[in-house]
Amino acid sequence: MDSTETLPPFSTVSSSALSFLNDNLANAQGLSRASNFATELDAHCRDLDRSSTELNRALESKLFAYASFSDRSNSLFSHVNVKLTDLASATRSPSSVADGSRKADQILGEELPALAKEVARLETVRAYAETALKLDSLVGDIEDAVSSTMNKNMRKHSSTKNSEDMWLLAIKRLKQAEDVLTSVTKTRPQWSHLVAAVDHRVDRALAILRPQAIVDHRALLTSLGWPPPLSGLTSSIPETKTSSEVPNPLFTIQGDLKHQYCENFIALCCLQELQRRRKSRQLEGHNREVALHQPLWAIEELVNPISVACQRHFSKWIDKPEFIFTLVYKITRDYVDSMDELLQPLVDEAMLVGYSCREEWISAMVTTLFTYLAKEVFPVYVGQLDEESITGIQSQARVSWLHLVDLMISFDKRIKSLVAQSGILLSLQEDGNSQKISSLSVFCDRPDWLDLWGEIELADALDKLKHETDDDRNWTMKVQGAALLFGTEDYKSPAVSSAFLQRLSSVVDRCRSLPTISSRSRFLRLAGAPIIHKFLDCLLMRCQEAEGLTALTDDDALIKVANSVNAAHYFESVLKEWCEDVFFLEMGSCQDDQIGASLDDNNVTDGPMEGSVSTIFDEEIKKFEEFRMEWVEKLSVVVLRGCDARCREYMKNRRQWQEKNEEGWTVSKTLVGALDYMQGKMSVIQESLNGVDFVGVWRSLAAAMDRLLYNGILMSNAKFNNNGVERLGCDMEVLFGVFGAWCLRPEGFFPKLNEGLKLMKMEEKQLQGSVVGGETWIKENRMRHLRVFEVEKIVRNRVFTS
């Protein structure tokens, strides 16, 4: 070089320039690259000059447009002033009354409304112009901040302070622009094109700002030493030998680095809050909750690198999933306190409403777990099950599946306990966000896997119940403590019913772990309801077997049927008690919603389906009731059939009603056998059957015996004299006495026999009035169960002797 330029005085050089020179020209190697630095700086200066020229041109264009608009506004306001001046002069001119009146009418009727409309239009134009200019200025500042951020990334060295200032400016302008847009949306909905244009420009800016903010945040986390090495975290895993404790980088950062991280964290949270506000405004009138609540970006950036590091370990433990759950839980637990103590105050400072760092951390870690299970573990197990179904060779696939589910349920319980320590579990349940902290959410996303789990669970339960049902002792040994658990009634239920209930209860408990009501309902219909149906089938098979072998004439067959009815009643009572719980009522309402949706899909508009369920087990409870009613009726029919066979001679012997009673007998000999048979069978049934259903048996038998004896004796055209009436009365007293062991007024359950006997005991004169009185006479004598023709027939068969 021909001449050497004089360096400026040291005191006039800025601190940033001195820092730059010290960093790059501190040694001989830096001095050798000085020419390259000078070239880069010249190029960058030319870029800045070019950008400055473009900005000046843009500013000149904006100012010219504003001046043009201002000129037009001034001319319009001048026109308005002229009109107002004319109006004032017209009202003050001393013209004739008629002309003044016509002029006033014209002004009030035509010119004044037009003038008001014009003023309103001008005001709207002015407000629109001011709003557009304000938004243009704000968006321009945002775009300048984006440009500065990009230029900062192109430079190898830049001031951290300047970078933070640009972020703060961009966020401030974004907030101001969003406030203006929100106000415009509410007060001026017709300016939709202005809002759309601004949204488009802001979206373009955010498309650059958010990725850049995340990149900066990731770089900062790397400088903090995040993620921590997992060597210490995996010390609790049996495969590892080391036991060193890994310090939490979030607690160990100090000084400027901590300040920088906190500022960066707050900026990212502020940016997310702005994005949430924008989405809330844009989705006004739609289902906003689905789109508004997104995972916390800053927490996601903490979890993502840990997730990547963990998957290297997970891949080694496909056959030992318990290690996967242990590692995820340990990481979640070890860092959850730092979320509360360090990061939650930063989220609150950013005014990011509705977010808990503890919840977001746990949710993100659980999401990492069930995402890995869905991608890597479950497909392997499904493949094994498919191979098993094709080859027919029993493998460990089902056992592995159930073991994995056990691990997931246990993990979810520990996670809920971890969440509950902050007191937010209730809010999770109320908001329906429990799916976020459950590894079983994998089944909510894959209903086909939920169905497969239900089938495996059902097959396992039925395999274990097969031994219980094959053991005859379980059908004779009674359930202990049933009366204490389910009220004062002793159902005398066999032990097999308790075995089925325990298996069903186990399925229900596993079902409780599922995070959504619809998945619980689906699983319980798949794995729980078939257990109930299987039990009902076993009861029906035993009853049909007893009926087919002996037609229920044998006492052992009666006891067998009675035990089955007891088991059904006990099972039914337990299901009813369960269904009073909110847990089952919710699943029943979910089922009703699905039925309603299917009806809507089929264009059915006649109202809800008749008999639609209100609890999940209503259909099964109804089947148990029908089963009990059917076999209780059959028990009474069996006893009635035996009584009918033994008292046919008694009913056919019509002469006995006109003969004297045999000495020493208070009851007819031909009736004694039938009553003895009835009493014997009913004693067996009473001993074996529960009290509630036994009441149904004897009442049904009483009604049937009433019809049988009434039609066979009183309606048989047999003639009754006084001796016959006395004999029949004695026989009925003995019959009523048999049923008197079970009620206080047994004659009330034999209405026709009782009223017919009462009719025959009347005097001859009183009976003569029945022929003339008809229904009136029947009502006067309080006979509610006999009709006129029956009374006439009984009266004709009554013989009076002098």
Side-chain angles (χ1 to χ4, degrees):
M1 300 178 63
D2 296 338
S3 63
T4 303
E5 296 183 4
T6 303
L7 295 173
F10 179 80
S11 59
T12 62
V13 181
S14 66
S15 59
S16 59
L18 286 175
S19 176
F20 174 79
L21 293 173
N22 288 333
D23 290 342
N24 294 281
L25 304 176
N27 50 38
Q29 184 180 0
L31 291 172
S32 64
R33 299 175 56 194
S35 59
N36 293 334
F37 283 125
T39 303
E40 290 179 5
L41 289 174
D42 288 339
H44 185 59
C45 287
R46 285 195 296 271
D47 291 340
L48 290 177
D49 290 339
R50 189 181 306 108
S51 299
S52 178
T53 302
E54 292 176 356
L55 289 175
N56 286 331
R57 289 176 181 172
L59 180 61
E60 182 181 353
S61 175
K62 300 289 185 184
L63 292 174
F64 179 77
Y66 179 76
S68 176
F69 175 78
S70 180
D71 292 339
R72 290 198 304 272
S73 299
N74 288 332
S75 65
L76 290 173
F77 277 113
S78 298
H79 180 67
V80 171
N81 286 330
V82 171
K83 291 288 186 180
L84 291 173
T85 302
D86 293 343
L87 176 62
S89 62
T91 55
R92 290 195 302 266
S93 61
S95 57
S96 62
V97 177
D99 292 340
S101 177
R102 284 196 299 272
K103 187 66 174 178
D105 291 342
Q106 182 181 3
I107 292 171
L108 293 175
E110 299 178 6
E111 295 184 8
L112 196 58
L115 181 61
K117 185 177 180 181
E118 184 68 15
V119 171
R121 187 181 71 82
L122 290 175
E123 178 62 23
T124 302
V125 171
R126 184 189 62 78
Y128 184 89
E130 290 180 354
T131 304
L133 288 172
K134 185 176 181 180
L135 287 171
D136 184 68
S137 175
L138 291 172
V139 175
D141 290 344
I142 296 169
E143 292 172 342
D144 289 344
V146 172
S147 177
S148 298
T149 303
M150 295 302 296
N151 290 332
K152 182 264 296 185
N153 292 323
M154 293 174 64
R155 296 192 296 270
K156 296 182 179 180
H157 304 277
S158 61
S159 171
T160 303
K161 179 64 177 175
N162 292 337
S163 177
E164 291 177 359
D165 290 342
M166 294 308 301
W167 275 110
L168 293 175
L169 176 63
I171 291 173
K172 181 180 179 181
R173 294 294 183 262
L174 281 167
K175 286 182 177 179
Q176 292 174 346
E178 185 58 33
D179 290 339
V180 175
L181 289 175
T182 301
S183 176
V184 169
T185 303
K186 293 179 179 179
T187 59
R188 306 280 189 175
Q190 67 273 22
W191 294 356
S192 57
H193 292 293
L194 174 62
V195 174
V198 175
D199 274 341
H200 178 67
R201 291 177 64 183
V202 173
D203 286 339
R204 286 193 304 178
L206 286 174
I208 300 173
L209 279 177
R210 180 190 171 185
Q212 186 58 49
I214 291 176
V215 168
D216 292 346
H217 194 75
R218 288 175 181 173
L220 190 56
L221 285 176
T222 303
S223 66
L224 296 177
W226 190 272
L230 300 183
S231 56
L233 292 173
T234 57
S235 60
S236 61
I237 309 300
E239 282 190 351
T240 60
K241 304 296 183 182
T242 62
S243 59
S244 59
E245 287 293 333
V246 177
N248 187 342
L250 298 179
F251 279 143
T252 57
I253 54 175
Q254 298 294 333
D256 292 339
L257 195 58
K258 181 176 182 179
H259 173 75
Q260 187 179 352
Y261 174 74
C262 293
E263 290 295 328
N264 193 277
F265 188 96
I266 291 174
L268 199 57
C269 290
C270 289
L271 204 59
Q272 184 167 3
E273 171 62 14
L274 280 168
Q275 185 78 344
R276 188 197 66 80
R277 286 182 58 192
R278 287 173 55 75
K279 288 294 182 184
S280 178
R281 172 176 55 80
Q282 293 169 352
L283 294 174
E284 186 72 36
H286 301 278
N287 187 10
R288 298 185 296 172
E289 296 303 322
V290 177
L292 291 185
H293 194 93
Q294 297 179 349
L296 196 59
W297 298 344
I299 299 297
E300 277 190 324
E301 294 309 315
L302 289 173
V303 173
N304 288 339
I306 288 184
S307 175
V308 173
C310 285
Q311 289 187 19
R312 291 195 293 270
H313 295 278
F314 292 168
S315 60
K316 306 173 186 176
W317 298 332
I318 294 294
D319 297 330
K320 299 178 181 179
E322 58 270 18
F323 296 163
I324 297 176
F325 289 94
T326 302
L327 178 58
V328 173
Y329 177 75
K330 180 168 176 56
I331 296 174
T332 306
R333 183 196 61 195
D334 288 351
Y335 291 96
V336 73
D337 290 336
S338 61
M339 304 299 150
D340 278 341
E341 298 175 19
L342 178 62
L343 301 184
Q344 187 61 46
L346 302 180
V347 172
D348 296 339
E349 184 178 344
M351 301 181 68
L352 190 54
V353 181
Y355 281 93
S356 163
C357 285
R358 185 186 190 94
E359 176 188 340
E360 292 297 323
W361 166 258
I362 295 174
S363 172
M365 289 300 300
V366 173
T367 301
T368 295
L369 173 63
F370 78 69
T371 300
Y372 183 81
L373 294 176
K375 289 183 177 180
E376 303 295 338
V377 179
F378 272 102
V380 174
Y381 287 3
V382 172
Q384 293 174 354
L385 290 170
D386 292 340
E387 183 179 352
E388 177 183 311
S389 62
I390 293 173
T391 60
I393 301 175
Q394 191 73 20
S395 67
Q396 290 294 316
R398 293 176 180 269
V399 176
S400 299
W401 184 289
L402 292 176
H403 176 59
L404 178 61
V405 172
D406 288 338
L407 292 173
M408 296 170 74
I409 293 174
S410 175
F411 174 82
D412 286 354
K413 289 180 179 178
R414 290 191 293 170
I415 286 294
K416 287 180 180 178
S417 176
L418 200 61
V419 172
Q421 294 175 12
S422 67
I424 63 173
L425 182 60
L426 182 61
S427 65
L428 279 172
Q429 292 175 343
E430 289 177 349
D431 296 337
N433 292 330
S434 58
Q435 188 173 350
K436 295 166 51 180
I437 59 169
S438 173
S439 61
L440 290 170
S441 298
V442 65
F443 292 111
C444 300
D445 298 332
R446 291 296 300 268
D448 54 330
W449 290 354
L450 180 65
D451 295 350
L452 192 56
W453 175 26
E455 293 174 6
I456 295 172
E457 200 74 49
L458 175 61
D460 180 69
L462 294 181
D463 286 344
K464 293 175 179 177
L465 285 170
K466 189 176 186 304
H467 173 72
E468 303 285 348
T469 55
D470 292 342
D471 189 351
D472 289 336
R473 291 175 298 177
N474 289 330
W475 291 97
T476 55
M477 186 171 57
K478 305 300 182 183
V479 174
Q480 299 298 322
L484 296 177
L485 290 174
F486 300 100
T488 58
E489 181 61 43
D490 183 7
Y491 293 103
K492 301 180 180 180
S493 178
V496 69
S497 59
S498 179
F500 271 87
L501 277 172
Q502 287 176 1
R503 289 299 167 195
L504 180 60
S505 178
S506 175
V507 171
V508 170
D509 288 341
R510 294 168 79 78
C511 158
R512 290 179 187 272
S513 302
L514 287 165
T516 63
I517 297 174
S518 58
S519 59
R520 293 174 209 151
S521 176
R522 186 185 184 99
F523 178 78
L524 205 53
R525 297 306 306 173
L526 287 169
I531 294 177
I532 303 175
H533 297 159
K534 177 65 176 178
F535 182 60
L536 194 57
D537 290 342
C538 290
L539 297 181
L540 183 60
M541 187 180 301
R542 288 181 65 83
C543 290
Q544 290 176 340
E545 182 181 300
E547 184 182 33
L549 290 175
T550 64
L552 301 183
T553 56
D554 184 62
D555 287 351
D556 290 339
L558 289 176
I559 294 173
K560 199 171 186 179
V561 171
N563 283 337
S564 297
V565 173
N566 292 341
H569 203 153
Y570 176 60
F571 211 99
E572 176 192 331
S573 67
V574 174
L575 290 182
K576 285 181 177 179
E577 186 162 320
W578 284 2
C579 288
E580 293 176 0
D581 190 87
V582 175
F583 176 76
F584 293 94
L585 291 173
E586 286 178 338
M587 289 189 289
S589 63
C590 176
Q591 214 172 241
D592 286 342
D593 292 341
Q594 293 174 356
I595 293 173
S598 63
L599 291 177
D600 291 340
D601 293 340
N602 294 327
N603 296 324
V604 177
T605 57
D606 295 335
M609 187 189 310
E610 184 178 357
S612 59
V613 296
S614 58
T615 62
I616 186 109
F617 289 137
D618 271 9
E619 182 182 348
E620 285 72 23
I621 291 173
K622 183 179 180 181
K623 288 183 177 179
F624 275 115
E625 291 175 346
E626 292 173 351
F627 171 83
R628 286 193 304 106
M629 291 173 60
E630 177 185 356
W631 287 96
V632 163
E633 183 66 23
K634 285 190 177 184
L635 288 176
S636 65
V637 168
V638 166
V639 179
L640 176 66
R641 193 185 302 132
C643 291
D644 184 17
R646 286 164 177 77
C647 67
R648 285 178 185 172
E649 184 179 351
Y650 173 73
M651 290 186 293
K652 288 181 180 179
N653 186 5
R654 299 180 182 179
R655 295 180 181 179
Q656 64 181 327
W657 310 118
Q658 298 184 41
E659 297 175 352
K660 291 184 179 181
N661 292 333
E662 299 180 18
E663 295 183 2
W665 287 87
T666 58
V667 61
S668 300
K669 292 180 180 180
T670 51
L671 183 61
V672 171
L675 296 179
D676 182 64
Y677 172 84
M678 177 195 299
Q679 198 165 22
K681 292 297 181 183
M682 291 299 289
S683 296
V684 172
I685 295 174
Q686 184 178 14
E687 180 67 24
S688 304
L689 193 62
N690 68 85
V692 175
D693 289 316
F694 179 72
V695 170
V697 172
W698 72 254
R699 285 188 174 186
S700 177
L701 178 61
M705 287 294 294
D706 182 51
R707 292 191 299 271
L708 175 67
L709 296 178
Y710 177 77
N711 292 324
I713 298 174
L714 297 183
M715 292 288 106
S716 64
N717 294 322
K719 302 296 183 180
F720 287 83
N721 59 17
N722 293 337
N723 292 330
V725 172
E726 183 182 357
R727 177 193 289 265
L728 181 61
C730 293
D731 291 345
M732 293 304 102
E733 285 183 9
V734 176
L735 174 63
F736 296 159
V738 173
F739 287 87
W742 309 311
C743 61
L744 294 177
R745 286 189 66 256
E747 61 272 15
F749 296 95
F750 295 85
K752 285 185 172 291
L753 276 176
N754 191 37
E755 291 184 0
L757 189 59
K758 175 183 175 182
L759 185 64
M760 286 194 293
K761 288 181 179 180
M762 291 181 179
E763 298 294 334
E764 183 177 5
K765 292 182 180 179
Q766 191 176 1
L767 290 178
Q768 288 175 354
S770 66
V771 179
V772 179
E775 290 186 3
T776 303
W777 185 89
I778 291 175
K779 290 181 179 179
E780 289 175 353
N781 287 273
R782 298 179 180 178
M783 295 183 181
R784 296 180 299 165
H785 300 89
L786 297 182
R787 290 176 289 181
V788 174
F789 77 92
E790 292 175 323
V791 171
E792 292 177 351
K793 189 171 185 178
I794 293 173
V795 170
R796 285 199 304 268
N797 291 330
R798 181 70 169 91
V799 178
F800 292 94
T801 57
S802 56

